[in-house]
Each structure stands twice: as structure tokens, then as C-alpha cells.
């Protein structure tokens, strides 16, 4: 019994000391280094326009108007809600999934005047995992270029060039997929760098 | 299929394996020092005084070792105290500091489920972090457990390896010494560097209130309210590092490693995948060194790699092939199944992450497994059912694999008609009994609870999908809980009193009922005499042994779970290919 009590005492002491180290000292060290070396990233990669924060480079926001590029569909809350990140979690045979995607395909075709027979980029009509995916595929961005060009009275050529400057390649040449950040692209369209 | 498109994926896969191979030996050698009470590391000048201070506070002589029963008691008491601490923090969240959003306390069943979940290294999440947990709860209630449960797993693996390496002895190490040294010399230093790297890529690390931003697209006209978005913040990077390195998997945010703040770039994704296997892979080298049979260590490593590759190629292929229901609507097929995946990762990195996180008992996700194709989702499920021994959890992977090694040696011995022998020690009835116990516990827990849930109202009430996929959601939940994995077919709403409680029980049984047989095995092996293995003993390295070992793992896994899998993902796959049904 005394030995058990001694073990309990050890466990309590170890718990307290470890809390101080791994829940106190460790995150504060990381916080200190992070705020010193990478303050922009550590604070959320927030975009500041004339003193007003208008979003994060890493977090998708909803764009519905025709003169903006549209992000991927989102299942985060009622859509693009960072307080409830997540995917749709519909299985591949879910009727709700199939119906929802069918509607998105029709809308995407109409909005972007896509000819029957041309296939739609998959990322344009499927919900992302986080609901906050700030990226779209290059194909998706290009399909939307003509619409945005018309709405803004620009030539499609100019828009395709814009997209090309926002194309992020694979990390280190091999990792991940090429992608275009919708938030940054739309900011650029509005004349903000 | 154009070769050019697939080139990058194969290069990345080759790079992943090559780097894993290269780091295995250095990590293993470092573990040799960390897991030896008299070991020397390059961090000694800085940390040795801290270590000594720890022992002084604990009133402990670091050279004095424990028998397996003493070791087990220390581990259980420590886990219990940790559980009580976390439960208390979660229940009293509103009275604790660092709660800028003013979150209230968790319900009793959610706090119970979460405290068990983190104390057992499962990190099953019935809650959504960004709308439930204060920064204090994340750091003290949860991250503390991420460190300690991972360290306990590594300590257990070390204890079992000592049982194998020593002979005619009684003790298998000292739990407290192992815990202190693993924290100080391994987990904390690696995590500091790792977390800073994550921040450099975009992972956040701050303590501020959630940001309210005015989004770019505002409504036209003057009388519309300003559209805003609330963006959660917090000390994410420090949490993320140990979540991956400790194979815990509990995300700061609900979307876990799919969230751009947790896993912002393909590079962080690659490092996260590597960090899951870092310690488990190094432990195979540690095993080889300790038992003075490096061929044996590498044979186990190679077996793990082979099982990993087989599973991954199936998962990748299934996700690449995609969902015919959606293709029928006129969408492009070249990017595969993108529902529930992020563009920066695509199908390849999502399938690779899913395979790795379930080979190990990590359970972090960078894509939603619930939306995987039937066979793509079968792989993570089956990986956990095999026991998460393919590299496996930090520590738990190696000790789980060694149980299978003991069984393989035993079965091989029966086949050739010799007394089974492992590393010069006779494998006898007691050893086989505890090994079989280890394998039987999850069978009963997973299948028992799943069967109960699918015939109960409380079970069906949580479903997000119906038909075979609904069954898969429930089977996955209890598989993940029992296997202490923590990933989910996340459509299942498991935050109900029944699910929270049954899953918590599954997690407890899956952790502690399996730790006892492991320690008992260690305690029995350590006292045995070692005979020099002669030409008659069965070789435990080489292709022959690797094939036998993987054969036995697959046969036991398949025999046990194939019937259940047939009702879920397998029948769903048939329906997908051979009909137009949707549910």
C-alpha cells in the first residue's frame, strides 16, 4: 500500500512538472521563436488593406460575383466558415452527394458558358476536405477566365497571364499539385498586390 | 494514362522511402542512448541537470529498475492521474485562463470520451476543436497527453525489447526514467525545431482572440451589413508537431491536417508523413542493435515496408480511378476522387497520408476518409484492423509487431517440428497465450461494439450515410477507437452519450488490455536463459521469415475482419461498379 501511495505521489509530481514543461515552456518557446522569425505566418497570414483585415492568404472565402474567380465548394458550416472546418463526409454512393454535384455542374456550365461535351474540372464541383481550401486547379481557373474577362471588360489573354503569374508549382519540384490561390488572384484582379 | 502525369508521384514515393531508409539508422542509434539510463546524448550539457532535477523531485534512483508488474503499475497510475487531470481541465474550462472565446465546459460524456481518447494515444475527436476547446484546454488538457501517451508507448516498446535482449534477469527498466529521458532528449527538442519549421510554412502560433475579417466580396448597395468571416487562431504549431511525431493525430481544428493552418503546403505535408514513421522506423533499428541481430531488425523493417507499399498502391489506385457516379455527370476524370480532398495535396498525397496515418496509430487526416472510394476507404480501415503494426504507432507499432513475430516463430516451429525459439529463448505456452490474448482483445471489442451499435437506435442515429457506407462508418469508429488510431469516417456524429461512452470503453480496452500482455511477455522473456542458437533454429531474418511474418499478419487480419469488411466497403464497391444505385 505504501508503495502504491509512493507511485501516486510520483505520478502527481511527474504530471505537474511535465505540464509546466510540455504545456508551458515548450509552446511559449515556439511562440517566441515564431513571433520573432515569422510574425506574418505565426499570426495567420492575414491580408491588411488600408488598416482593415480582409482575410487570410490561407483561408478560402466565398466569391459569387461574376467578376471574381470562384473557389471550390465548401462544407464548412454554411460555407467557408472557419469556425466549423470540415468536409461533406458524403460517401461515394451518397444520393445527396450526386444530386449536389449535379446542380453544381449545371451552375458551373451556365456561368462559364461551357459547351456540352466539355468536361468540368473535378475540383470545381467537389467540396474540399477543410472547407477552407484556398486553391483551385489550373484547369478550373482557366475555365473561369473568359467569364471574368467579360465581366471586367478585359481580354481573356490578360487574364490567362494573370493566372499564370499566380500558378504555384509543386513544392521542391515534386511535392503536391500545381495550384492557383483564389484569394490572392481575386485581390490581384481588384488591383491589390 | 500519360507517363508524365504519374512521374511526379513515383518520384515523391521513391523520395519518401529513400529518406525513411536513410534516417532509420541514425534515429535508432539515438534511441539507443535515450532509452539507456546511462546513455549519453549531445544534449547532455544542457539537459542533464534538468533530468537530475526530475529524479530529485520524484525521489528516484535512476539506476534502480522495475519488474514488469512494477512497471505496469507505474504506467497505469500515471495514465490515471493524467486522465483525471484532463477530465478536470475540460469540465472546468470556463474557469481556466487562455480562453479568449469564452468557451463553456464540455459535457460529462464528451469530457470523459476526450480525456480517455487522449490518455490512450487515440485522439478520437467527438468535438470540433475550434468551437469547443480553449487554448488552455488544448495545451494542458490535450497536448500534455500527446507527449506522455507517446512517450509511454515508446517506453513500453523499450521494455519489451529489453525483455528480449536480456536473459536470466528480472527487471525491464524503470518507467519513470524512460518517461523523463524520452521527453527531454527526444520529443521536446525535435518538436521545437519541427514546430518552428511548420510556422515558417504558414502554420500559426499565437494566443490572440479569433480574428474577424471583412471579406473581399461585399454586397452591393448601402444597406447590406458588412460580410465578415471569423478566423480561429491559437498555438497550433506546437500542438501539430507532437501530434504527428507522437502518432497522436488529434487536430487543433476539426479538419485536422487538411486545414490550411495545420498543414499549409505540400512540403509540410511531406514532413508530417515522414514524422509519423520517424520514431517507429528508428525503433526497428533499435531492436536490431539491442538483440545484436541487425538482420532481424532490417527484416522487420522490410516486412513493414512491403505491407505499407501493397496497401498504399491499392488505396492510390482506387482514389485515382475515382467515383463513376460523379464522372457520369460530366466531370474530368484525370484528377480522381476530389470530394473531401485539398487541391494542394490531390489524390496522391491524400492516399499516401491516409495509408501512413493508419499504418501507424496516428489518425491525423489530410483528406476526409468518409468520402474515399469504397476500396480507398477499405485500406485505412484494414490497416487499423491489422493492428497498426506497419511501422505503427510510436512504440506501439514495434511491440505489436513483436507479438506477431513471436506467433510466427511459434507457428514456424510447429511446422518444422522443433521447439520454437526466438533470439535463443524458448517460446513456451505462456508466451503464446499472452500473444494470442493481445490479438484477441481488439477482435472482440471491435466486432462486439460494432454489432451492438448497428442494431441499436443510438448507433443508427449518428449516421451521415446509409446503406453499406453507413455500416462502414460504425465499423470504422470502433476499429479506430480500439486501435487507438483516432481517424474517422467523420460523417458519423459520435458526440452522443452512447457513442461517447462505448467508444471510450473501446479505447480503454484497446490500450490497457493490450499493454498488460505486452509487459507480461517482456517479464517472462527477460527471466529465460539464452541458449546459443545453433543450425537447427529457425532463421528470423531474410525473405523466408519476412514472407512468413507478413503471411501470418494478413491471414489473422483477413480471417478476423473479412466478413465485416464484406458487408461494408467490399459490397459498396460492387454496387458502385455494377449498378446505378445511390443511397
Amino acid at each position: 500500500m505504501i508503495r502504491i501511495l509512493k507511485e501516486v505521489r510520483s505520478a502527481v509530481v511527474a504530471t505537474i512538472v511535465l505540464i509546466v514543461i510540455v504545456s508551458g515552456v515548450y509552446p511559449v518557446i515556439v511562440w517566441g521563436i515564431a513571433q520573432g522569425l515569422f510574425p506574418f505566418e505565426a499570426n495567420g497570414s492575414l491580408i491588411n488593406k488600408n488598416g482593415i483585415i480582409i482575410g487570410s492568404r490561407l483561408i478560402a472565402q466565398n466569391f459569387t460575383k461574376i467578376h471574381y474567380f470562384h473557389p471550390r465548394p465548401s462544407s464548412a458550416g454554411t460555407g467557408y466558415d472557419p469556425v466549423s472546418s470540415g468536409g461533406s463526409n458524403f460517401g461515394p454512393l451518397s444520393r445527396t452527394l450526386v444530386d449536389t454535384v449535379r446542380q453544381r455542374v449545371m451552375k458551373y456550365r451556365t456561368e462559364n458558358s461551357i459547351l456540352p461535351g466539355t468536361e468540368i474540372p473535378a475540383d470545381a464541383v467537389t467540396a474540399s476536405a477543410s472547407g477552407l481550401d484556398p486553391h483551385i486547379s489550373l484547369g478550373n481557373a482557366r475555365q473561369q477566365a473568359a467569364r471574368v474577362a467579360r465581366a471586367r471588360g478585359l481580354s481573356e489573354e490578360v487574364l490567362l497571364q494573370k493566372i499564370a503569374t499566380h500558378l504555384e508549382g509543386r513544392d521542391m519540384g515534386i511535392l503536391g499539385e500545381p495550384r492557383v490561390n483564389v484569394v490572392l488572384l481575386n485581390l490581384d484582379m481588384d488591383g491589390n498586390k | 494514362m500519360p507517363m508524365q502525369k504519374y512521374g511526379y508521384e513515383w518520384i515523391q514515393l521513391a523520395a519518401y522511402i529513400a529518406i525513411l531508409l536513410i534516417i532509420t539508422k541514425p534515429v535508432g542509434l539515438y534511441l539507443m542512448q535515450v532509452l539507456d539510463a546511462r546513455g549519453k546524448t549531445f544534449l547532455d550539457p544542457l539537459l542533464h541537470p534538468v533530468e537530475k532535477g526530475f529524479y530529485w523531485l520524484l525521489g528516484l534512483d535512476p539506476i534502480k529498475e522495475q519488474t514488469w508488474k512494477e512497471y505496469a503499475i507505474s504506467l497505469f497510475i500515471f495514465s490515471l492521474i493524467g486522465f483525471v487531470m484532463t477530465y478536470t481541465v475540460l469540465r472546468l474550462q470556463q474557469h481556466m485562463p487562455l480562453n479568449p472565446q469564452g468557451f463553456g465546459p464540455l459535457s460529462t460524456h464528451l469530457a470523459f470520451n476526450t480525456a480517455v481518447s487522449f490518455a490512450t494515444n487515440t485522439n478520437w475527436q467527438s468535438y470540433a476543436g475550434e468551437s469547443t476547446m480553449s487554448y488552455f484546454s488544448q495545451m494542458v488538457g490535450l497536448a500534455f497527453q500527446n507527449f506522455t501517451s507517446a512517450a509511454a508507448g515508446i517506453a513500453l516498446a523499450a521494455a519489451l525489447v529489453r525483455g528480449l535482449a536480456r536473459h536470466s534477469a528480472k527487471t525491464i527498466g524503470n518507467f519513470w526514467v524512460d518517461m523523463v529521458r524520452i521527453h527531454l532528449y527526444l520529443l521536446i527538442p525535435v518538436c521545437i525545431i519541427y514546430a518552428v519549421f511548420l510556422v515558417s510554412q504558414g502554420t500559426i502560433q499565437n494566443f490572440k482572440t479569433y480574428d474577424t475579417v471583412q471579406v473581399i466580396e461585399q454586397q452591393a448597395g448601402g444597406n447590406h451589413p458588412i460580410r465578415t468571416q471569423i478566423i480561429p487562431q491559437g498555438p497550433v504549431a506546437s500542438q501539430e508537431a507532437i501530434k504527428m511525431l507522437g502518432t497522436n493525430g488529434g487536430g487543433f481544428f476539426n479538419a485536422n491536417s487538411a486545414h490550411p493552418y495545420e498543414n499549409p503546403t505540400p512540403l509540410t505535408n511531406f514532413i508530417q508523413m515522414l514524422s509519423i514513421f520517424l520514431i517507429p522506423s528508428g525503433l526497428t533499428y533499435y531492436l536490431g542493435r539491442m538483440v545484436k541481430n541487425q538482420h532481424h531488425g532490417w527484416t522487420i523493417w522490410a516486412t513493414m515496408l512491403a505491407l505499407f507499399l501493397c496497401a498504399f498502391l491499392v488505396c492510390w489506385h482506387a482514389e485515382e480511378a475515382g467515383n463513376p457516379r460523379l464522372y457520369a455527370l460530366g466531370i474530368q476524370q484525370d484528377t480522381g476522387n476530389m470530394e473531401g480532398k485539398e487541391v494542394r495535396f490531390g489524390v496522391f498525397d491524400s492516399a499516401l497520408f491516409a495509408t501512413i496515418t493508419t499504418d501507424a496509430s496516428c489518425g491525423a487526416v489530410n483528406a476526409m476518409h468518409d468520402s474515399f472510394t469504397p476500396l480507398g476507404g477499405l485500406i485505412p480501415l484494414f490497416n487499423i484492423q491489422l493492428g497498426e503494426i506497419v511501422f505503427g504507432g510510436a512504440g506501439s507499432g514495434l511491440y505489436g509487431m513483436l507479438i506477431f513475430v513471436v506467433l510466427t516463430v511459434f507457428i514456424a516451429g510447429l511446422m518444422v517440428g522443433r521447439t520454437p525459439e526466438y533470439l535463443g529463448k524458448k517460446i513456451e505456452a505462456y508466451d503464446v497465450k499472452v500473444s494470442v490474448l493481445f490479438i484477441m482483445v481488439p477482435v472482440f471489442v471491435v466486432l462486439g461494439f460494432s454489432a451492438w451499435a448497428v442494431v441499436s437506435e443510438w448507433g443508427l442515429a449518428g449516421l451521415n450515410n446509409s446503406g453499406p457506407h453507413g455500416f462502414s462508418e460504425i465499423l470504422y469508429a470502433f476499429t479506430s477507437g480500439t486501435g487507438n488510431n483516432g481517424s474517422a469516417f467523420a460523417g458519423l456524429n459520435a458526440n452522443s452519450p452512447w457513442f461517447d461512452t462505448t467508444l471510450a470503453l473501446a479505447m480503454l480496452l484497446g490500450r490497457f488490455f493490450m499493454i498488460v500482455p505486452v509487459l507480461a511477455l517482456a517479464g517472462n522473456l527477460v527471466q529465460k536463459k539464452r541458449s546459443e542458437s545453433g543450425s537447427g533454429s529457425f532463421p528470423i531474418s531474410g525473405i523466408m521469415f519476412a514472407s512468413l511474418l507478413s503471411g501470418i499478419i494478413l491471414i489473422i487480419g483477413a480471417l478476423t475482419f473479412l466478413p465485416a469488411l464484406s458487408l461494408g466497403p467490399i459490397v459498396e464497391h460492387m454496387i458502385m461498379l455494377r449498378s446505378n444505385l445511390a443511397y
Side-chain angles (χ1 to χ4, degrees):
Chain A
M1 197 57 210
I2 291 172
R3 271 182 44 207
I4 298 282
L5 280 178
K6 187 171 174 290
E7 288 295 306
V8 172
R9 185 192 157 275
S10 297
V12 171
V13 172
T15 301
I16 293 169
V17 179
L18 282 173
I19 285 178
V20 171
I21 295 180
V22 304
S23 308
V25 176
Y26 158 66
V28 168
I29 288 179
V30 175
W31 174 80
I33 301 176
Q35 293 289 339
L37 293 181
F38 310 105
F40 175 72
E41 287 82 0
N43 290 309
S45 307
L46 299 174
I47 309 163
N48 194 318
K49 184 185 173 188
N50 308 327
I52 300 168
I53 299 169
I54 54 170
S56 163
R57 301 166 72 103
L58 293 175
I59 305 290
Q61 39 182 276
N62 198 7
F63 290 96
T64 53
K65 295 184 179 162
I66 51 169
H67 61 281
Y68 283 122
F69 286 88
H70 298 170
R72 298 184 64 194
S74 165
S75 293
T78 51
Y80 312 96
D81 179 3
V83 182
S84 39
S85 63
S88 73
N89 283 310
F90 288 127
L93 303 187
S94 158
R95 181 165 293 151
T96 322
L97 173 71
V98 176
D99 290 343
T100 312
V101 173
R102 181 180 294 120
Q103 281 166 13
R104 289 179 189 145
V105 168
M106 274 163 31
K107 183 154 174 275
Y108 191 86
R109 279 190 187 285
T110 323
E111 275 177 353
N112 299 299
S113 323
I114 292 168
L115 300 172
T118 308
E119 291 180 329
I120 309 287
D123 66 289
V125 291
T126 51
S128 63
S130 62
L132 306 172
D133 191 347
H135 297 113
I136 56 176
S137 68
L138 181 59
N140 185 357
R142 283 193 172 148
Q143 290 275 24
Q144 299 187 45
R147 181 198 79 226
V148 178
R150 254 193 323 278
R152 291 187 178 253
L154 299 166
S155 79
E156 200 180 333
E157 275 302 294
V158 173
L159 279 224
L160 290 176
Q161 272 171 16
K162 280 260 191 235
I163 293 172
T165 59
H166 282 275
L167 179 67
E168 298 169 33
R170 293 183 167 87
D171 286 16
M172 324 199 67
I174 53 168
L175 306 178
E177 302 290 335
R179 58 210 182 272
V180 175
N181 187 311
V182 189
V183 179
L184 296 182
L185 178 60
N186 281 334
L187 264 184
D188 192 2
M189 297 305 308
D190 279 353
N192 304 288
K193 282 286 174 183
Chain B
M1 295 176 180
M3 197 47 223
Q4 194 192 357
K5 172 169 155 37
Y6 285 86
Y8 293 102
E9 282 96 340
W10 287 108
I11 294 170
Q12 189 182 336
L13 182 62
Y16 182 82
I17 295 168
I19 295 174
L20 189 67
L21 177 65
I22 292 167
I23 58 180
T24 296
K25 181 176 174 182
V27 173
L29 288 176
Y30 189 67
L31 283 168
M32 289 288 295
Q33 299 303 318
V34 173
L35 296 171
D36 176 356
R38 295 185 185 82
K40 297 257 179 292
T41 75
F42 70 99
L43 291 167
D44 274 8
L46 190 63
L47 295 176
H48 196 59
V50 184
E51 186 191 354
K52 279 212 274 200
F54 240 111
Y55 298 147
W56 178 76
L57 282 171
L58 292 173
L60 185 91
D61 175 6
I63 301 305
K64 198 163 166 282
E65 295 206 340
Q66 296 170 307
T67 65
W68 81 265
K69 282 179 187 153
E70 290 165 342
Y71 202 98
I73 288 170
S74 295
L75 189 150
F76 282 131
I77 291 178
F78 181 68
S79 300
L80 183 69
I81 299 287
F83 161 80
V84 172
M85 186 279 293
T86 297
Y87 182 83
T88 312
V89 166
L90 299 181
R91 289 288 292 156
L92 299 178
Q93 178 167 259
Q94 72 279 28
H95 302 301
M96 305 285 177
L98 285 174
N99 187 1
Q101 300 311 116
F103 291 132
L106 276 66
S107 68
T108 45
H109 57 87
L110 183 57
F112 176 67
N113 180 284
T114 306
V116 167
S117 166
F118 279 74
T120 55
N121 197 255
T122 310
N123 293 26
W124 170 270
Q125 297 175 286
S126 276
Y127 61 91
E130 61 266 49
S131 56
T132 318
M133 294 286 175
S134 72
Y135 300 160
F136 187 83
S137 297
Q138 295 269 16
M139 289 157 62
V140 177
L142 306 183
F144 167 82
Q145 300 284 6
N146 284 355
F147 275 97
T148 53
S149 66
I154 299 168
L156 271 168
L160 180 58
V161 171
R162 289 180 197 124
L164 292 170
R166 298 171 181 177
H167 57 97
S168 317
K170 284 198 176 66
T171 59
I172 54 170
N174 185 306
F175 175 74
W176 302 110
V177 174
D178 284 340
M179 289 297 280
V180 169
R181 292 187 60 87
I182 292 166
H183 274 98
L184 286 183
Y185 295 107
L186 181 63
L187 299 180
I188 295 172
V190 175
C191 279
I192 290 177
I193 297 166
Y194 188 1
V196 171
F197 160 74
L198 288 173
V199 175
S200 77
Q201 294 289 302
T203 305
I204 56 177
Q205 179 76 9
N206 59 59
F207 297 100
K208 58 183 179 173
T209 314
Y210 291 6
D211 283 299
T212 304
V213 307
Q214 299 184 14
V215 296
I216 298 165
E217 181 184 293
Q218 293 291 340
Q219 304 293 339
N223 49 3
H224 288 282
I226 292 169
R227 287 176 58 204
T228 57
Q229 196 181 32
I230 296 171
I231 305 183
Q233 300 293 324
V236 177
S238 53
Q239 200 104 343
E240 193 71 13
I242 186 60
K243 161 196 152 194
M244 307 309 295
L245 185 71
T247 67
N248 294 283
F252 196 94
F253 300 110
N254 188 46
N256 211 296
S257 280
H259 197 295
Y261 275 167
E262 286 200 21
N263 193 4
T265 63
L267 180 61
T268 56
N269 189 63
F270 188 79
I271 299 295
Q272 292 201 356
M273 293 191 293
L274 209 52
S275 63
I276 298 178
F277 278 176
L278 179 79
I279 293 173
S281 183
L283 277 171
T284 63
Y285 191 87
Y286 168 76
L287 168 75
R289 264 291 155 116
M290 287 290 286
V291 301
K292 301 195 173 56
N293 187 344
Q294 208 64 62
H295 287 301
H296 181 51
W298 282 117
T299 301
I300 288 182
W301 189 88
T303 309
M304 290 171 164
L305 185 73
L307 290 170
F308 156 69
L309 275 177
C310 293
F312 167 64
L313 292 177
V314 172
C315 187
W316 178 24
H317 177 78
E319 290 307 296
E320 189 73 50
N323 182 353
R325 294 290 184 282
L326 299 191
Y327 292 159
L329 304 172
I331 71 172
Q332 283 171 13
Q333 307 192 5
D334 60 341
T335 45
N337 176 25
M338 282 302 288
E339 179 69 25
K341 294 192 178 64
E342 300 280 292
V343 167
R344 62 192 181 284
F345 305 139
V347 157
F348 174 84
D349 272 330
S350 301
L352 186 58
F353 198 108
T355 310
I356 291 168
T357 197
T358 50
D359 272 337
S361 69
C362 182
V365 297
N366 77 348
M368 294 301 133
H369 294 184
D370 213 348
S371 296
F372 273 31
T373 58
L375 291 188
L378 176 135
I379 292 298
L381 186 54
F382 191 53
N383 271 342
I384 307 173
Q385 290 171 341
L386 288 181
E388 294 156 324
I389 45 164
V390 179
F391 296 99
S396 62
L398 183 69
Y399 66 69
M401 186 54 124
L402 287 175
I403 298 277
F404 277 98
V405 168
V406 166
L407 279 182
T408 305
V409 168
F410 172 69
I411 292 170
L414 289 185
M415 289 196 296
V416 298
R418 283 208 178 80
T419 314
E421 215 183 57
Y422 179 41
L423 295 164
K425 290 177 174 176
K426 285 198 174 66
I427 297 298
E428 292 158 309
Y430 183 88
D431 310 300
V432 178
K433 275 184 203 161
V434 291
S435 301
V436 170
L437 185 65
F438 180 91
I439 288 171
M440 295 310 288
V441 169
V443 176
F444 282 105
V445 178
V446 170
L447 296 179
F449 275 121
S450 299
W452 182 16
V454 294
V455 295
S456 305
E457 238 167 79
W458 60 264
L460 301 178
L463 291 181
N464 182 49
N465 288 279
S466 53
H469 201 80
F471 175 75
S472 301
E473 282 184 342
I474 289 180
L475 181 67
Y476 200 106
F478 287 105
T479 302
S480 172
T482 312
N484 295 159
N485 185 275
S487 67
F489 273 19
L492 183 76
N493 176 17
N495 183 15
S496 66
W498 275 99
F499 262 119
D500 275 340
T501 312
T502 48
L503 280 165
L505 286 176
M507 291 187 263
L508 283 173
L509 293 168
R511 173 84 168 180
F512 295 109
F513 266 50
M514 295 173 74
I515 282 177
V516 177
V518 169
L519 282 171
L521 181 66
N524 196 46
L525 287 172
V526 79
Q527 57 173 12
K528 293 192 185 201
K529 289 199 191 77
R530 177 161 45 205
S531 54
E532 281 311 308
S533 46
S535 58
S537 48
F538 191 79
I540 50 166
S541 57
I543 290 179
M544 164 95 119
F545 182 75
S547 318
L548 263 176
L549 178 59
S550 35
I552 281 172
I553 290 166
L554 289 173
I555 289 169
I556 291 177
L559 281 180
T560 316
F561 291 107
L562 207 56
L565 292 171
S566 306
L567 295 174
I570 293 175
V571 74
E572 190 186 15
H573 178 69
M574 303 295 176
I575 294 172
M576 182 177 85
L577 292 188
R578 298 286 169 199
S579 77
N580 292 313
L581 278 178
Y583 293 93

